[in-house]
Amino acid sequence: MSRSLLHRSGQSRGAELLAEARLPTRVAIAGEMNSGKTWLANGLLGSQVLPTSFVTRTEVPTVVEFGAKSRLVLERSDGSRVAASWEEVEAGTCQGRRLRQRLPSPRLQDLRLVDTPGLGDGDEQMAHRIRCICRSADLVLWCTSALQAWKASERDFWLSLSPRVRDKGLLVVTFGDMLRHDQDAGRVLARLQAEAGLHFRKIVFPAQLFDLLARARLQRAIHSAREPTIAHSPSTPALLSA
Amino acid sequence: MGFEAPSQLHGGDARRVQPFNRQADAPCQEPIGAPLERARLRIAALLNDLEGMLGEHAAPLLREARRQIDERACRIAVIGQIKAGKTTFINTLIGQPGLLPTDINPWTAVVSALHFRSGVATPEHAAVFQLFSIDEWKQIAKGGGRLRELTERLVPGFQPDLLRAQLEVMRSRSERRLGAKFEQLLGKSHRFKTITPELLADYISAGDPNLQASTTEQRRNYSDITRSADLYFDDSPFAFPITLIDTPGTNDPFLVRDEITRRSLENPDIYIFVLSALQPLSAADVAMIRLLNGLYKDRIIVFINRVDQLANPGVDATIVRRSVKKRLRLEFPNLHIPVISGSAWLGGLEMSSQPASGKEAQFSALVAGSGSPFAAPALATGMSEVAAAITQMMCNSTIAVLLQQIASCLLELVRSDQAGVSAQLQQMQTLFEAERTEVNALQKKIAEEEAALAAFEARAHALRASFEEMQAHFDRTIESGQNMLRSELRSIVRDFAQTSADRLAAAIENGVSTRSWRCNVTPLRSDLETAYLTAFDDLARDVVRVEQFLYPQLQVIVSNLLPGYRGTVLEAPEAPLAGSLSLSALTDRVTMDLDTHWWTHWFRARRSAHEHGNQLRILIENDFLPIVEQLVGDAVDSLRQRVEYTMQRASAIASGLLSGVEQRRQNVAVQAAPLRGSDDVQSAAHRQGEQIARIQKCLEQQATLTASCEELESILAGLDGLQSESARR
């Protein structure tokens, strides 16, 4: 999967394309607290890499990227880096700019995830940082809980991003499995479509997203002989059609 | 469409239910408000007795007391963000799961008041829905109300697309649902004799936004044009009269609804703040509690709802509760807010008789504590703890204070009548004795008595005159205090506006980015609140000082009039002044509350740093000076109420004394009859009989008054006990 996944495909110069083609797709995951961001990140990674604890919320942005060896590094505010463990993180002793988790997972060869702290606790500085992360991502996954979907505070944050950034956004409806009635999912989706549909590329449930990614990978494998940009593979129109 | 995520991500079935510890279920408890209801009923019974017994002078006060006792309900507002489960909570609290319509989408669109036995008589209609007036609708449909006004102030001429789009949706939806002539419905109120789920769905549910075209079979949805709903219930699950207020959630992306909710937060006795356990206490929640803070200190109960949706309810609920408590302590160090966790939905299942299916069955089994796959004990729904917390809070609320005021006011009336009656008795005794001895002595006695009465009356009138003087004193004190309060608050606003303007100008000149800039007015709000409360306390103290200066002088007069009088009316009453003060003006939404989005437009529009600063100063002043005006007005109202109450009491006592004088004068006239020489044996006997009857009546009266006095004292002691008991906990 290349950076040209969502747009720009036609405009980039060849050299740039080549340079970019080697970079994994940068996916930012954002949303309010307890909206299932880390859970979604683990889903995309296919394993329980990041601890999803209900109590200790993700405090600093966590970058998950490919590395030959599995290791966790904390980048302090002064730029220095130290090795860290998830136990320390969960204990809340890790203060810094970001956490960097390297993993030898094959899935990460074309994917670089940034899991961000939950919004909604009034921390303007953090909100500003998350805006920056969204700006530099290729794909922004905004998590909203099916049980309390799309509040004014979510909308306000999302609309504070520029249209260029919003154009890279998918609204991911998490916790759909906790709905009490089968017809509820469709109804939530209908409301989201009406109230938030305009501001996102598409609204999806996590399973659809996992599905699309898996299919995209498959497609890429199949079409790897030909010029293989996912943007043109048969699976992506579903992902991209707004 | 599949919404189940890959199962390994669940951590097994972790987010479903696991066995958890039994939380101590409260023992079988009294219905909500029972202790206060007992006091209320005792006062009501006493009022019946007193109405026949006390003279004409007491009638207005008794009427007022009767009205308050009959009509004043405890107002409990249930608030919180959208989808926190407010409506489900209410349904469970009133023991009628499924009564108010709930849905997976934000569903409550209208502020509805549920009245439980709160009126004198059950009104003829069980449900009354008030639709927006044409003017209100026009304001909403064209301007979008307050929000529109604010954005217009910030960026003149700028059309907030979102709001415009939402209003258009609302308008066209109303037309689709109600027909093109829906505007003819505006201003009407719709009344119904019975409450049905369909009715509630029609008026207070948001309705399905995607439901197309209303055919004749489909019911019409009025929610968009309904302003308020009042529902009256015959059967009450509560002991005390209670009005529950269900609100649409805050933080609703549908701006119009958010506005409606904010407006409904006017002065309830208790707020129940419902949070979702999944998103406990976000910044929006804290902001909301901050708005309610101040005088509503003892009025907030936090209920962490939906613990059934936690991965591990038993353990996680405790953790969430602890973290919410910690956060509240951090944000509001001086506030004691009861925090209770539970699940209103489970509480509803527990009482629902309908057979459950699917997940509901699973939970039902859990609640019942049997048949669960884990053989788990029952999960505490938190509802009984909420009930206990409400009762406890009621005992300390303005309601309790009101009952106390009524009781002590009645006590004063009874005592002054008691004093009057014993003076009468004494007088009749003296005259009687004098008559038995000789005519001369009687003549002398009557002359003395008449002179005494004349002096007495003159003093009583002087007493009344001094009331007028007192009133004038109060007026002057309030007037000057009001001006000081106003100028102090205004200078706080001006200083803040100037400082913010300077800071902004400096920041722009130093090239600081304005991208995510916001003017935080929280410090201004809290400065205003502190200054307001302090200044109000000073002002109240001034009023009390006037009372303390004048009362002793009155005391002298009254003790001359009635040596046996042992009332306390002539000591300054200690009704807590601040209790009735409203801080709601501070919660008004202002331009500064708009999010970064609007401010970006604002920055785009102007150039120079100085100009920006100046504009900001004007914005802050325009927003906050009216709020200052409102606060000052509220303070004056509250003080005037207090003064009025004090004066009403004092003048009822004075009238009581004067009517006592009238009684004694009549007695003297009767006794003086033999002196006029028109007395024969027969009429003398008749007169004596009459006198004896009078004395007997006086004695009876005295006995009843004494009994009432004791009853009132015991009621007051009880109320005191309730308060100190709940304060101790």
Side-chain angles (χ1 to χ4, degrees):
Chain A
M1 214 188 285
S2 86
R3 269 183 81 174
S4 53
L5 177 64
L6 290 172
H7 59 130
R8 278 197 203 186
S9 48
Q11 338 160 357
S12 305
R13 289 188 306 279
E16 221 177 51
L17 251 176
L18 279 173
E20 280 179 3
R22 262 179 258 124
L23 288 171
T25 307
R26 294 172 299 181
V27 177
I29 304 179
E32 298 203 325
M33 53 185 185
N34 288 325
S35 58
K37 294 178 293 299
T38 305
W39 179 84
L40 183 73
N42 284 334
L44 292 172
L45 295 170
S47 62
Q48 290 273 17
V49 177
L50 308 173
T52 48
S53 162
F54 175 73
V55 187
T56 50
R57 305 190 348 262
T58 318
E59 297 284 355
V60 288
T62 307
V63 179
V64 189
E65 58 193 2
F66 187 79
K69 273 197 303 190
S70 170
R71 70 194 174 109
L72 181 67
V73 173
L74 174 72
E75 284 184 32
R76 295 222 189 87
S77 317
D78 59 5
S80 65
R81 298 170 183 210
V82 286
S85 70
W86 282 115
E87 287 73 35
E88 288 171 313
V89 174
E90 287 202 71
T93 52
C94 283
Q95 300 287 321
R97 196 187 299 160
R98 67 171 73 88
L99 282 163
R100 202 177 276 273
Q101 170 76 65
R102 293 224 161 84
L103 286 173
S105 160
R107 292 205 185 191
L108 285 169
Q109 278 170 341
D110 54 13
L111 192 69
R112 182 179 178 272
L113 285 180
V114 188
D115 184 20
T116 63
L119 287 157
D121 61 357
D123 186 345
E124 263 302 313
Q125 247 181 331
M126 185 52 81
H128 186 63
R129 282 191 64 192
I130 294 174
R131 265 185 215 110
C132 294
I133 291 171
C134 292
R135 212 173 292 138
S136 58
D138 301 308
L139 179 66
V140 182
L141 303 178
W142 181 271
C143 293
T144 193
S145 157
L147 304 168
Q148 268 187 304
W150 204 240
K151 302 185 193 177
S153 45
E154 294 182 75
R155 186 205 56 209
D156 290 345
F157 181 86
W158 188 249
L159 290 185
S160 76
L161 296 166
S162 75
R164 194 179 62 78
V165 181
R166 295 203 301 260
D167 197 42
K168 300 185 289 192
L170 296 187
L171 181 58
V172 185
V173 187
T174 54
F175 299 123
D177 56 319
M178 288 173 74
L179 294 170
R180 284 177 189 134
H181 303 284
D182 293 341
Q183 68 274 24
D184 284 353
R187 309 209 28 200
V188 169
L189 205 60
R191 170 172 166 258
L192 290 176
Q193 203 60 257
E195 286 186 17
L198 275 179
H199 312 310
F200 288 90
R201 276 263 171 172
K202 193 169 166 60
I203 303 175
V204 292
F205 285 98
Q208 293 172 287
L209 193 66
F210 301 145
D211 212 37
L212 281 171
L213 272 178
R215 269 198 279 164
R217 276 200 193 92
L218 197 63
Q219 291 289 345
R220 195 170 60 102
I222 295 166
H223 294 274
S224 58
R226 284 177 258 155
E227 239 214 321
T229 50
I230 299 300
H232 302 117
S233 71
S235 71
T236 37
L239 191 72
L240 298 181
S241 59
Chain B
M1 190 187 317
F3 340 109
E4 289 284 335
S7 64
Q8 77 268 23
L9 297 171
H10 269 309
D13 233 358
R15 218 173 327 108
R16 299 214 202 281
V17 182
Q18 283 185 356
F20 32 76
N21 301 327
R22 173 189 277 276
Q23 297 187 12
D25 254 328
C28 204
Q29 60 185 64
E30 289 187 302
I32 290 174
L36 273 194
E37 176 68 1
R38 280 194 287 275
R40 190 182 78 95
L41 291 179
R42 279 170 78 181
I43 295 177
L46 208 70
L47 269 175
N48 286 341
D49 298 345
L50 293 179
E51 266 158 9
M53 195 163 39
L54 298 182
E56 220 15 66
H57 61 276
L61 271 181
L62 290 183
R63 259 201 306 278
E64 180 59 18
R66 164 69 66 192
R67 196 182 61 79
Q68 300 266 29
I69 286 284
D70 285 344
E71 291 175 18
R72 182 69 156 85
C74 180
R75 287 168 60 84
I76 302 178
V78 179
I79 55 175
Q81 293 199 28
I82 50 166
K83 299 314 304 159
K86 296 175 290 299
T87 303
T88 308
F89 172 81
I90 289 188
N91 282 339
T92 306
L93 189 69
I94 62 176
Q96 299 193 39
L99 176 81
L100 295 173
T102 57
D103 191 74
I104 186 62
N105 284 323
W107 204 239
T108 308
V110 173
V111 177
S112 25
L114 286 70
H115 305 272
F116 291 94
R117 220 156 40 88
S118 5
V120 199
T122 319
E124 192 189 343
H125 300 283
V128 179
F129 302 97
Q130 181 62 48
L131 306 182
F132 282 119
S133 75
I134 292 176
D135 285 349
E136 286 164 333
W137 175 259
K138 275 187 181 150
Q139 210 210 345
I140 292 168
K142 281 198 188 135
R146 182 95 180 119
L147 190 79
R148 165 64 202 224
E149 192 188 306
L150 293 175
T151 52
E152 181 68 25
R153 203 177 282 173
L154 189 61
V155 192
F158 176 76
Q159 272 277 10
D161 292 340
L162 193 66
L163 191 61
R164 198 177 43 190
Q166 287 189 349
L167 292 168
E168 181 48 35
V169 165
M170 188 161 157
R171 204 201 57 75
S172 65
R173 191 169 53 201
S174 303
E175 191 172 318
R176 196 178 66 227
R177 284 170 169 177
L178 304 169
K181 289 182 174 174
F182 77 93
E183 288 191 18
Q184 287 175 3
L185 290 163
L186 297 175
K188 305 242 158 59
S189 68
H190 291 180
R191 291 155 192 280
F192 300 90
K193 299 224 177 208
T194 49
I195 299 171
T196 62
E198 292 79 27
L199 195 63
L200 297 177
D202 289 349
Y203 284 90
I204 65 183
S205 298
D208 215 320
N210 299 316
L211 209 64
Q212 287 296 318
S214 74
T215 63
T216 38
E217 285 140 55
Q218 254 164 348
R219 301 182 64 96
R220 306 209 285 176
N221 186 302
Y222 296 90
S223 66
D224 279 332
I225 61 168
T226 304
R227 194 186 61 194
S228 62
D230 285 281
L231 308 174
Y232 300 88
F233 297 86
D234 288 334
D235 296 324
S236 174
F238 312 118
F240 199 82
I242 280 179
T243 297
L244 276 175
I245 303 156
D246 188 18
T247 61
T250 54
N251 207 358
D252 190 332
F254 196 68
L255 300 161
V256 180
R257 225 145 37 202
D258 203 69
E259 287 290 311
I260 294 171
T261 307
R262 278 163 195 275
R263 243 174 277 159
S264 70
L265 294 181
E266 193 62 35
N267 234 0
D269 300 297
I270 293 173
Y271 292 98
I272 298 180
F273 199 98
V274 181
L275 299 175
S276 161
L278 292 170
Q279 279 202 322
L281 217 58
S282 64
D285 293 324
V286 171
M288 185 82 170
I289 294 183
R290 183 162 284 132
L291 292 186
L292 300 177
N293 188 8
L295 286 175
Y296 306 148
K297 275 181 183 49
D298 307 323
R299 297 194 191 178
I300 307 170
I301 295 173
V302 169
F303 181 65
I304 305 172
N305 200 3
R306 303 176 142 224
V307 296
D308 57 275
Q309 285 171 335
L310 292 172
N312 196 343
V315 177
D316 288 353
T318 316
I319 297 170
V320 176
R321 195 169 58 230
R322 211 172 287 151
S323 87
V324 167
K325 268 187 178 161
K326 193 172 148 202
R327 179 95 192 268
L328 285 175
R329 248 201 315 276
L330 220 66
E331 296 274 348
F332 312 103
N334 301 321
L335 242 97
H336 171 72
I337 302 177
V339 179
I340 294 154
S341 61
S343 165
W345 179 70
L346 280 182
L349 281 188
E350 203 173 31
M351 55 184 68
S352 168
S353 55
Q354 284 170 2
S357 64
K359 278 182 190 174
E360 296 198 356
Q362 192 185 341
F363 279 109
S364 282
L366 206 68
V367 169
S370 62
S372 145
F374 309 103
L379 169 61
T381 60
M383 295 311 287
S384 58
E385 282 153 289
V386 169
I390 295 175
T391 300
Q392 195 178 322
M393 196 163 277
M394 276 173 77
C395 292
N396 239 338
S397 67
T398 38
I399 297 271
V401 171
L402 179 81
L403 290 180
Q404 222 166 5
Q405 276 184 357
I406 291 174
S408 61
C409 182
L410 291 179
L411 187 60
E412 283 317 314
L413 287 174
V414 170
R415 276 183 182 156
S416 78
D417 256 49
Q418 212 181 8
V421 171
S422 47
Q424 262 193 71
L425 275 170
Q426 211 179 351
Q427 174 210 36
M428 283 193 277
Q429 203 179 0
T430 322
L431 294 177
F432 228 63
E433 307 247 302
E435 190 188 5
R436 251 189 270 146
T437 48
E438 55 179 301
V439 175
N440 273 353
L442 179 62
Q443 207 160 15
K444 205 175 143 213
K445 272 285 169 213
I446 283 175
E448 271 173 27
E449 191 63 28
E450 271 171 345
L453 282 176
F456 193 107
E457 196 170 28
R459 286 207 191 107
H461 281 298
L463 185 65
R464 279 196 151 172
S466 66
F467 285 161
E468 275 161 34
E469 202 180 308
M470 219 163 108
Q471 181 76 54
H473 258 284
F474 281 133
D475 288 346
R476 277 197 298 278
T477 311
I478 292 175
E479 183 64 32
S480 68
Q482 171 185 0
N483 292 334
M484 268 176 57
L485 180 64
R486 181 180 292 117
S487 70
E488 192 183 337
L489 295 184
R490 287 178 78 104
S491 78
I492 288 174
V493 172
R494 292 226 165 87
D495 288 351
F496 182 89
Q498 193 58 54
T499 318
S500 307
D502 293 347
R503 204 175 291 155
L504 178 66
I508 295 175
E509 268 166 9
N510 293 332
V512 174
S513 159
T514 54
R515 281 197 80 94
S516 61
W517 181 89
R518 275 188 73 171
C519 177
N520 180 12
V521 287
T522 313
L524 176 56
R525 279 206 173 93
S526 78
D527 283 357
L528 281 178
E529 183 191 310
T530 316
Y532 181 54
L533 293 180
T534 318
F536 182 81
D537 273 351
D538 289 347
L539 195 47
R541 245 195 305 277
D542 284 346
V543 169
V544 172
R545 208 169 295 138
V546 174
E547 286 171 352
Q548 278 167 348
F549 178 70
L550 291 167
Y551 274 110
Q553 305 188 355
L554 301 182
Q555 186 94 52
V556 174
I557 300 179
V558 172
S559 59
N560 277 333
L561 291 176
L562 294 170
Y565 184 74
R566 49 185 188 94
T568 51
V569 70
L570 303 170
E571 290 157 20
E574 33 180 316
L577 275 164
S580 53
L581 189 60
S582 163
L583 270 183
S584 58
L586 272 178
T587 71
D588 277 2
R589 195 132 77 142
V590 298
T591 320
M592 308 299 132
D593 297 328
L594 293 174
D595 44 78
T596 332
H597 187 58
W598 307 113
W599 288 98
T600 319
H601 288 280
W602 184 66
F603 278 113
R604 233 174 259 157
R606 267 169 284 273
R607 294 272 177 268
S608 88
H610 174 73
E611 217 177 312
H612 268 310
N614 211 26
Q615 198 70 26
L616 180 68
R617 188 178 54 76
I618 294 170
L619 275 175
I620 295 178
E621 288 185 359
N622 281 350
D623 276 343
F624 278 91
L625 290 181
I627 290 179
V628 164
E629 234 10 78
Q630 183 72 43
L631 287 173
V632 171
D634 289 345
V636 169
D637 283 351
S638 161
L639 286 172
R640 286 207 191 291
Q641 251 173 29
R642 146 94 172 202
V643 166
E644 193 186 327
Y645 167 74
T646 311
M647 297 308 294
Q648 216 176 14
R649 262 171 74 151
S651 73
I653 305 299
S655 317
L657 295 175
L658 277 173
S659 88
V661 172
E662 193 46 47
Q663 283 290 323
R664 280 156 72 185
R665 178 161 288 150
Q666 281 172 23
N667 289 341
V668 171
V670 175
Q671 283 294 344
L675 298 178
R676 288 194 296 272
S678 59
D679 206 25
D680 52 40
V681 179
Q682 201 181 354
S683 64
H686 175 69
R687 201 184 63 237
Q688 274 193 356
E690 225 171 61
Q691 286 294 71
I692 286 165
R694 269 171 193 256
I695 290 171
Q696 261 163 359
K697 200 180 148 217
C698 274
L699 284 171
E700 269 167 33
Q701 228 175 338
Q702 202 181 31
T704 343
L705 286 171
T706 309
S708 307
C709 226
E710 278 163 7
E711 168 73 353
L712 280 165
E713 273 161 358
S714 120
I715 291 173
L716 278 169
L719 284 169
D720 268 351
L722 283 181
Q723 280 183 24
S724 53
E725 191 185 331
S726 55
R728 248 203 327 276
R729 274 188 219 164

